[in-house]
C-alpha cells in the first residue's frame, strides 16, 4: 500500500481551513496533521501555496443520456463526461437511471451500472427516475428494491405531461414510499400544464424561435411546483430535494419551508448563476445553446440565487450537465440543430461538469459572494451528505476516500470549449477569465489528473452504493 | 305604483350609517332623505330604533341540490330554502347549476332556472359548475354561452377526483376563458389527491367513524390548492374567488396574493367561524351533523378567520347552505345516516341560510370582532359587487331594488332548529343566544316577512341575469 | 333656507356610484334621490355628464406655518392656501398647531384658531403637535385639555433631534394618553438620529448641494421608525396614524401591522407618487424645489406606494402642503434660496393642496391604478372618518354637510403654477396634462367656486371641532 | 513536550463525526488519524465508545461581576466559575469588562484581566461594554484602543435607561466604529423605555411580587429592539450579534435579517429553552430564582427558539451565567433576597455555565431537536468563530489548542445544585435527568478534569487576545 504525503497546503473543509499535511495510505486518507508532524512517506507532493479541497461531488449529470422518447441522447458518454469532471476537480458524479422502453426500471438500472462501470474514470452513483405509472405499473416496487440496494434518491418529474410527468397521486405515494425507505425524493419542479399551455400559445402566435423557450417556462410555474412539492412532502412526512432551482420564487418557497423546520433542500446550477436570458434574447438558432429547463432567466434573477446560496436557502450546486452539440457530428443522433427555429423540439440541456468548480470559485469566492468553506460545502460536502456518500466523499479527514484536489488559488485561466474535455462544441462560459483552478486531482489516492495530463483508464471509476441521506 | 316610506331608522351601508328616511316607489328605492324630508307616502313604516340593512346576499347555497353522483340531494328545495333565507333577512341567493347526467350543462341550467322560478320566494342567481371534460367534452363552449347570458361566475372543483375534480389543464383553460368573458372563476380549493390519500389511509387503519372526516382534510391540502389556484389565475390573468375558506393557511395564501395586488377574493362561512372540531371530536353518528368539506376545523383556527375578515383578507360570508337530515324522512333520498360509522359516504353539508345574519351579527358585531358596516359589506354589498348584482342588490340607495331588512339590534333571540324554516332537523347553533334579528323584510318593495309571518308566494322570486363582476 | 337641486350627475361615494339627484337645504344635503324624484327646488344645477364628489378632505396642510425654530414660515396663509384648496375641490383641511416660543401649546392653539377663522374660505381643523417635554413640561396636560375640546389627533415627531423629536418615553406616555382620550396619535416616522448622522457625514464629505438631502434620509430610517411606532402603539393599546409614508419599507411595515389586526393607518402624498429623485438628481439650487422630509424617492419606489394604496395598506392621500418660494418675495421670511448649496438649511416642503385631486384622479383613476370609489375614499371619506369628521364631511348623503364638487371627468387641463392659486412660484407638476377637474365647488351649500371664479370671503370657513376617530 | 494519544473515540466537529485518534503534542493537537495510524505516544487515553468534543466555548458569562450601580455582584468569582465551567466541559469563556466608577473603561479592562489571570482555571476572553457617553465622554476612544489590543467584541445595552442604556446616536457611532475596527458589536436588545414604563405601571398597580418581572419585559420590547439594532447595523454597515434572544419575535427579526443577507447573529441560552414562566407564575420570593433579563418566557415560546436553532436563525448557545444566591452568604453583597416582594430590585441573573452542555445535549440531541454536529457548532465552533478564537478554539483539528472533552453519551446523570461547582445555592435544572456527560476534560493538553477530580490550579487559565470575528 503506497503512502503519499501532501504537504504545505491549506486543507479546506466545510467547517474551516487550516495549514496541514495530509497522509494517504492506499485509497484512504489516514491522517491530517500539523505541518511536519506526519512522518515519512513513499511519495511526497508539495502543495505549498495551494488549497487542498475535497474532490468535487456533482450530483446532477446526464451522461450518454437518452431524452425525448429516446430519440436522441447527450453527447458525452461516461468516459468523456467523467474525464471532463476529473479535469474540473470533480471526483464523484451521481447520474440518473431512467426506465428504458423494453426494460423495467430495475433492469434499466443494471444496464446503466454496467455502462458506467466500463467507461467512468471517476466514481459514480445513480439516482432512479420514477416513471409515470402508465409506463410501468409496478414501478414503485422497483423503486423499493433499488432503495434496498443503495439507490437512496429518486427523482420525480412535475413537468413534461404525457412523457415523464407524474400526477399528484403518484407524487404522494412515491414520496411516502421514499420516506419509508430512507430515500431522498427529488423533484424537477415546474407545473407541466402551465408550461405546456404557454408553449402552445407561443407556437400558435408564431413565436417559435429558440429564445421563446424562456417565455414558456414562467417563474410562477416553477414556484407553484415547488410549493406543491413541499405541501406533499410535509403531508407524507418525507424530506424533499428540489433540483436545478432557477427562479427567485422557487428559492423563496424553499427558504420558507426551511424556516418552518422542514427537511427541504434545493440545488442550483452554474448556468442560472452566471448566464442570463439577456444573453440569448435574440431570434436565431444560436440561442439553442442556452436552452434547458427550467430556462436560464433574467440577469436580475441571479443575485437572488446567490443570496439564497449565501443564506442557506439553497444547499448544493450541481451542473445538470446535459451537453448537446450546436453542430451535428455524424456519430450522434440529432443534436441542438434538430429543429432550428422551433423551440419545442430543441434538445434541452447545457454542458458544465468541467467548469463548475472554476466558475463558482471565481464568481463566488473571488468576487466575494460566498466564502471558501461555503464553496466546499455547496460543491462537495453537502451533496455528499444528502446523497448518502459522506464522510467517504465530500471531505478531507482521516478515513475518507483520498479524493483530493490540489487547487491553485492564484492560477489564471480562460474558459474555452476548445480547451475543455466534454464532448461538445461550446460552453456558456467561453472567454470567461477565472483565477483559481485544479493543478492535481487525486481519486481514491490515485493521481488521475496532473496539470494537463490524464492518468486514468476507462472503468477505473467505481459504482457507488449509497447510504441513506444524511439530513443533519 | 305604491309609495312606501320607512322612517326613523338608521340606514346602514358598507360606507357608514346615518339616520335617514327611505322612500320606495314600486320595486325600487327612490330617495334616501334627512329625517322628515321625504314628503308624503301611501304607506308608512316606522323603523325608529332599528337599522335598515340592505337585504342579505348569500352567494353560496345548494337548494334541492344533487350530490354524490346524483344518489341523494339536499333537503331544502327552492321554496323551503328561500323561505328560510327570507326569515333570516336574506333577499338574494346565488345557487349552482351542475351538469345533469343526461343533459348538457346548458340544458341543465335551463332546467334549473325553471325549477327556481317556480318555487323561490326571493330573487336568485345561478353559478355554473364546470364539469370535468370527460363528462362533457364541449363544456367550455357551454360555459361561454352561459357567460353571455348573464352567468358571470363559474365554479371549478380542485377536490373530488373521479367525479367533480378538474385537472390543472382544465383550470388553466377555464380560468383563461373566464378572464376573456368577464366571468369570475370560483374554486373549491382542496388538493383532491391529498384528501383521497388521507381518507384511504384512515379507512385502511379502521378509522372510519364520522369524526375522522376532519383528519382526511388537512390544512395543507387546502392551502396548497389555494396557492395553486392563485398561481394559475396570475398566469392566465384572471381574477379568482375562493369559496368556503376554512383554514388559516388558506386565508394567508389569499392575503399574500391580495398584498401583491392580485384580484383574489375569499369567502368563509358561519360554520367555520362558530363551530369547531372540538364539537364533534368523539366517535358516534351525531358527528355527521358537522360533516362538510372543507371540514369544520379546530377552535384555535377560528380567530384567524375572524382576523382575516377584519383585515380584508377575506371578503364575503356565504353559507354553503347544504342541509341534510340527521334522521331520514320518507320522501327524501338517503340523508346523513346513509352510512353510519363510515365517514367517506356521509353526505357533506350543513344548514345555515336562515341563521347567517343573526349569528354573524352576534359574534361579529355584538362581540366586537367586526363593525356594523363591515358586517353589511361582508354579507350583502361585497357579494353583490363580486357577482354582478350591485348596485341593484347589496345596498340601500336611490335606484336600488328595495330589498331592505328592518333589523332590531336589541331583539333577543335563541336559535333553534324547531324555530327555524329550513327543511332539516338540526342546526349547528342550537341554543345560541343572539341579540339582533330581522323584524320586517322587504324584497323589491314587497313586505315578504313581517315578524313571524310570511307574505310571499312560491315563484315570486325572480331569476337574476348578472353583470360582470365589479372587482373595484 | 335656500333649496338647491343638483341633477343629472353621478354621485360617487366610497361605496359605489349611481345616477342620482342631490337636494340641498341650507348647509346640508337633505336627500339623494332617483333622477327626477326630488321635487322642485329654488335653484337647479345641471350636472349632467359630471360626477358629484364629496368635497375633498386634506388632513395634512401647513398654512402660514413657522418652521426651523420660527425662523421662517410657509408662503401660503390661511386665505391663499384655502383658496387654492377650494379651486382644487378640497373643502376641508386639517392643519397643525405647534407650541409657540412664548405661549403654551394650549394658548398657541387658541391663537391658531383665531388666525384661521379670520382668513379661511373652507372649513378647517387643527391637529396638535406634541412638543418635546423640555420645551413644555406639562405639555401632556395641554394635550388632554385639547382632546376634550375636540382636537382628536396629536402629532409626534420621531425626527429632528434637538428641536421637535420626542424620545421613546414621551412617545409611550403620549400614545397611551391618546388611547385614553380617544385621540388618534400621528407620527412623522424617521429615525432622527440616523438621519442626522447621515446628514453630518454628507456635509463632512462636502456633499452639501441640495440633492444630497435625499441621501440623508434613508429608507431604513423611515422603516425603522414606523416599526418602532407600531411596537409602541401595540404596547400601549393605541391606534396609530403614520403621516407622509414615502418608502416601500415603511408601507410594508404598516401592511404587516394591519395584517396582524392592529389599528395602524398610513397616509401618502402626491409628491411621493408622482415625483422622483431622478427629477432632482443633479447639483444645482433648483433641486430645492423637491426638498421635503421624508424625501421624494426613486422612481422605482412609486409603484410600491400605488400598490399599497390599491391593496389597502395605505389609507389616505394628504398633501403635506408646505409651500416655499424658489425666489424670495420681499414680504416673506427666507424661502428655499435661504441656504443655496447647503441642503441642511433649505426649508423643507412642497406645495400641492390645489393639485391633489386632479393629479391623483389622473394618475390613479384615468391611468387605471385605482378606481373611482377608492379615489373618493382616499381623498375624502377615509380622512374624514379617521379625523372625526364623518359623516359630516367626506360623503354625499342625507344629513351631511353639502360639500360637493361637480367634477367634469372629461375636462382637459394642464397643471401650471401660473394658473394656480397657492402663493408660491412653482409646482412639481408643471406641464402635467390631466383629464378631469372641478367645475363647481359647494361648501356647506354655498357655491364657492364656479369655473374660474371664486365666491368666498375670507373667514367664511369655520373651525371644526372634531369627534373621536372612526376607526371601523 | 508530552505526547498524548486519545484513541477509540468518535471525533465530532461542526462538519461531521468519524472514528479517529487524536494526537496531542504539548498544548496543541498535532494529528487526527485513522484509528491506529497515529504512532506511539507517551500517554494513551482510551476513549472507546465516547465522543471527543471540542471544549465548550461559552461567550456569555458574568463572573465576580458588579451590577446595579456596583451595589452587588454575582456570586461566582473567576475561580469558582471556571471550575464549574471545566466540570461542565467548557474550556473557554468570554466574560465582560464594564467601566468601573473611578476608572476609565480601558483601566477597568486591565484590572479585569489581572483578576481573571489570577483565578481562572480555563482560558478566558473579555468583551468590552460600551458605557453611556455621560459616564465617560471618550469611551469610544477607549473602545478603539481595546479593539486594537484584541478585544474584538463590544456590547451595547438598549435597556436599563439611566444606567447602562445608550441612545440611538451612541449605537450608530459605536456600531460604525465597530465596523471600522473589525469588531463584532453585541446588543442586549430590549427597548428600555417600554420595559421601564411597564415596570412602573406594575408597581403603581401594586403588582410587585417577583413573578411580575416577566410582565414588565414584553415580547414586543425585545422584538422592537432587535429590529432597531438591525436597522442601525444595516445603516452603518456593521455586523450584529444579539445576545440572549428569549422571544420568538426577536428570533424572527433575526431570521428576517439573515434571509436578506445581513451579517446578523443571535445567541440564546439554556434557561430560555428549558425553563418557562409557568415555573414561577406564582407569588412568592422563590420566583426570584428565575429572574433574569430578558425574562424566562412562556413554555409555548420554547419550541420557536428550538426551531430557530435548528434552522439557523440563531447561531450560538451561551449561558449568560450570572449566579446569585437565594439565601444570603455572609461574605457576599445582597443577593436575590435583597428586595423580597419587590421585583424591580431583585438582582437579575441565573447560573448555568456547568450545566450548559449536559442540558442542551439532553434536550437537543437526545430528544431529537438538533443533531450532534449542530450541538458542537452551537456550543463551541460558532462562538469561537464569531468571537475571533477559531480555529484555536472550537474545533478538533491539527493545529488547534488541545481543548477536548471526552464525552460519554451513555452516562446517566441527575442535575443538582448540590452536585455542581458553581458558587450558588440552586439550579433551574434541579432534578433533571440527562444522558451524556463529560468524563475527562483537556485544556491545552492538560487533563484538568478527570471524572470527579479537578487537576487545575487557579490562574492556569490564560487571557485570550482575540482576532477579528470570522463571519463566514
Ligand atoms: Zn430537470
Ligand atoms: Zn437534469
Ligand atoms: Zn365546496
Ligand atoms: Zn358549496
Ligand atoms: Zn413630517
Ligand atoms: Zn407635514
Ligand atoms: Zn443582557
Ligand atoms: Zn449578560
Amino acid at each position: 500500500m503506497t503512502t503519499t504525503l501532501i504537504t504545505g497546503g491549506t486543507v479546506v473543509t466545510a467547517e474551516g481551513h487550516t495549514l496541514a499535511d495530509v497522509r494517504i495510505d492506499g485509497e484512504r486518507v489516514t491522517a491530517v496533521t500539523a505541518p511536519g508532524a506526519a512522518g515519512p512517506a513513499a511519495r511526497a507532493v508539495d502543495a505549498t501555496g495551494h488549497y487542498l479541497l475535497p474532490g468535487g461531488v456533482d450530483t446532477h449529470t446526464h451522461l450518454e443520456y437518452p431524452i425525448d422518447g429516446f430519440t436522441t441522447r447527450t453527447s458525452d458518454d461516461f468516459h468523456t463526461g467523467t474525464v471532463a469532471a476529473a479535469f474540473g476537480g470533480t471526483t464523484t458524479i451521481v447520474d440518473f437511471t431512467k426506465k428504458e422502453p423494453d426494460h423495467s426500471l430495475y433492469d434499466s438500472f443494471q444496464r446503466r451500472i454496467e455502462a458506467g462501470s466500463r467507461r467512468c474514470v471517476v466514481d459514480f452513483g445513480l439516482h432512479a427516475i420514477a416513471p409515470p405509472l402508465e409506463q410501468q405499473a409496478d414501478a414503485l416496487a422497483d423503486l423499493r428494491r433499488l432503495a434496498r440496494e443503495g439507490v437512496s434518491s429518486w427523482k420525480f418529474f412535475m413537468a413534461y405531461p404525457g412523457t415523464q410527468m407524474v400526477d399528484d397521486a403518484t407524487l404522494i405515494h412515491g414520496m411516502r414510499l421514499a420516506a419509508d425507505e430512507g430515500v431522498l425524493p427529488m423533484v424537477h419542479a415546474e407545473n407541466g400544464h402551465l408550461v405546456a399551455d404557454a408553449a402552445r400559445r407561443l407556437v400558435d402566435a408564431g413565436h417559435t424561435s429558440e429564445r421563446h423557450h424562456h417565455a414558456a417556462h414562467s417563474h410562477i410555474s416553477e414556484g407553484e411546483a415547488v410549493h406543491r412539492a413541499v405541501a406533499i412532502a410535509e403531508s407524507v412526512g418525507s424530506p424533499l430535494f428540489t433540483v436545478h432551482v432557477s427562479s427567485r420564487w422557487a428559492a423563496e418557497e424553499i427558504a420558507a419551508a426551511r424556516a418552518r423546520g422542514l427537511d427541504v433542500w434545493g440545488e442550483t446550477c452554474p448556468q442560472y448563476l452566471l448566464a442570463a436570458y439577456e444573453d440569448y434574447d435574440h431570434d436565431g438558432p444560436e440561442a439553442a445553446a442556452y436552452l434547458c429547463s427550467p430556462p436560464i432567466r433574467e440577469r436580475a434573477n441571479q443575485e437572488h440565487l446567490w443570496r439564497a446560496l449565501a443564506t442557506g436557502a439553497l444547499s448544493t450546486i450541481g451542473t445538470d450537465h446535459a451537453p448537446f452539440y450546436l453542430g451535428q457530428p455524424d456519430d450522434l443522433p440529432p443534436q441542438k440543430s434538430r429543429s432550428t427555429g422551433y423551440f419545442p423540439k430543441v434538445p434541452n440541456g447545457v454542458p458544465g461538469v468541467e467548469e463548475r468548480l472554476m466558475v463558482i470559485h471565481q464568481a463566488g469566492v473571488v468576487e466575494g459572494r460566498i466564502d471558501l468553506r461555503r464553496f466546499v460545502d455547496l460543491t462537495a460536502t453537502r451533496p455528499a451528505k444528502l446523497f448518502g456518500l459522506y464522510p467517504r466523499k465530500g471531505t478531507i479527514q482521516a478515513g475518507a476516500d483520498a479524493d483530493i484536489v490540489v487547487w491553485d488559488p492564484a492560477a489564471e485561466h480562460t474558459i474555452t470549449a476548445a480547451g475543455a474535455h466534454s464532448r461538445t462544441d461550446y460552453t456558456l462560459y467561453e472567454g470567461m477569465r477565472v483565477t483559481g483552478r485544479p493543478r492535481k486531482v487525486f481519486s481514491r489516492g490515485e493521481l488521475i489528473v496532473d496539470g494537463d495530463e490524464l492518468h486514468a483508464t476507462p472503468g477505473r471509476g467505481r459504482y457507488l452504493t449509497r447510504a441513506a441521506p444524511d439530513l443533519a
Side-chain angles (χ1 to χ4, degrees), chain A:
Chain A
M1 195 164 67
T2 313
T3 294
T4 303
L5 198 62
I6 311 179
T7 59
T10 297
V11 173
V12 185
T13 68
E15 186 197 288
H17 51 89
T18 194
L19 274 175
D21 294 346
V22 177
R23 178 184 171 112
I24 301 168
D25 288 291
E27 299 195 334
R28 298 280 178 112
V29 170
T30 49
V32 180
T33 76
R43 177 172 59 163
V45 177
D46 180 6
T48 303
H50 293 177
Y51 297 149
L52 304 183
L53 306 181
V57 178
D58 185 349
T59 59
H60 196 160
T61 63
H62 297 274
L63 302 181
E64 51 185 86
Y65 187 75
I67 67 160
D68 293 351
F70 291 76
T71 60
T72 185
R73 49 152 276 207
T74 57
S75 53
D76 264 327
D77 63 20
F78 276 118
H79 183 246
T80 59
T82 54
V83 166
F87 273 104
T90 288
T91 52
T92 304
I93 63 167
V94 187
D95 206 282
F96 293 84
T97 292
K98 164 191 263 177
K99 182 198 173 308
E100 297 171 40
D102 299 321
H103 298 271
S104 70
L105 176 61
Y106 186 80
D107 290 347
S108 302
F109 162 73
Q110 298 296 353
R111 293 159 52 88
R112 189 92 173 138
I113 288 183
E114 193 181 3
S117 298
R118 259 200 310 266
R119 289 190 278 278
C120 283
V121 303
V122 302
D123 293 352
F124 71 103
L126 293 172
H127 312 286
I129 292 176
L133 298 189
E134 59 270 25
Q135 292 176 20
Q136 182 179 345
D138 66 345
L140 292 183
D142 271 13
L143 285 172
R144 182 189 293 112
R145 184 172 175 194
L146 290 173
R148 293 173 183 181
E149 298 183 10
V151 179
S152 58
S153 50
W154 302 339
K155 183 168 176 189
F156 298 86
F157 280 88
M158 302 175 79
Y160 309 123
T163 57
Q164 301 196 82
M165 190 173 102
V166 296
D167 67 4
D168 285 3
T170 303
L171 275 176
I172 292 165
H173 300 144
M175 287 167 68
R176 178 177 291 115
L177 186 62
D180 290 348
E181 297 291 332
V183 160
L184 181 62
M186 310 158 79
V187 288
H188 173 132
E190 292 186 286
N191 182 310
H193 288 303
L194 278 176
V195 170
D197 176 72
R200 188 185 50 71
R201 286 167 60 87
L202 286 162
V203 169
D204 287 353
H207 300 309
T208 64
S209 72
E210 282 77 357
R211 72 179 175 90
H212 292 97
H213 172 81
H214 169 266
H217 294 256
S218 68
H219 289 263
I220 296 177
S221 65
E222 186 178 356
E224 189 286 317
V226 172
H227 188 276
R228 183 156 37 102
V230 169
I232 293 172
E234 185 169 6
S235 293
V236 304
S238 81
L240 178 69
F241 185 86
T242 307
V243 299
H244 54 42
V245 172
S246 76
S247 164
R248 171 188 188 172
W249 284 39
E252 288 179 350
E253 294 289 354
I254 292 170
R258 292 176 63 79
R260 285 165 49 218
L262 298 178
D263 264 330
V264 170
W265 309 80
E267 164 200 78
T268 191
C269 310
Q271 55 271 31
Y272 301 120
L273 296 163
L274 293 162
Y277 177 57
E278 288 82 349
D279 298 330
Y280 63 102
D281 178 18
H282 43 78
D283 292 308
E286 64 281 7
Y290 292 85
L291 260 55
C292 55
S293 292
I296 294 173
R297 302 202 183 266
E298 311 73 33
R299 185 152 282 116
N301 185 67
Q302 293 173 354
E303 68 172 303
H304 296 287
L305 297 180
W306 279 112
R307 173 167 298 175
L309 290 169
T311 60
L314 295 177
S315 301
T316 74
I317 299 176
T319 57
D320 201 5
H321 179 80
F324 293 91
Y325 276 84
L326 292 176
Q328 180 59 56
D330 289 346
D331 63 338
L332 287 174
Q335 298 285 298
K336 287 278 187 186
S337 57
R338 177 169 67 173
S339 70
T340 298
Y342 186 73
F343 77 84
K345 293 290 179 206
V346 174
N348 276 210
V350 299
V353 75
E354 181 165 357
E355 295 81 7
R356 181 178 67 130
L357 294 182
M358 287 184 287
V359 300
I360 297 300
H361 179 268
Q362 172 62 33
V365 180
V366 176
E367 298 177 13
R369 293 181 178 96
I370 55 175
D371 66 282
L372 194 57
R373 58 198 190 216
R374 183 80 180 136
F375 168 67
V376 166
D377 195 38
L378 290 165
T379 58
T381 315
R382 185 64 62 180
K385 287 176 173 172
L386 291 175
F387 292 97
L389 294 167
Y390 179 89
R392 181 169 169 196
K393 305 292 188 185
T395 189
I396 296 177
Q397 64 179 33
D401 277 0
D403 291 3
I404 297 175
V405 180
V406 180
W407 183 273
D408 180 353
E412 306 221 330
H413 178 62
T414 300
I415 308 280
T416 63
H421 302 82
S422 181
R423 194 182 170 212
T424 181
D425 54 0
Y426 76 95
T427 165
L428 297 182
Y429 315 109
E430 186 74 28
M432 179 175 170
R433 310 247 334 141
V434 298
T435 301
R437 65 177 299 189
R439 289 297 189 192
K440 296 179 196 292
V441 179
F442 292 85
S443 168
R444 281 183 277 101
E446 279 188 62
L447 180 66
I448 60 170
V449 170
D450 191 4
D452 295 337
E453 288 170 38
L454 181 74
H455 302 289
T457 51
R460 74 159 293 285
R462 289 195 200 133
Y463 172 71
L464 296 161
T465 298
R466 294 180 285 128
D470 176 348
L471 302 171

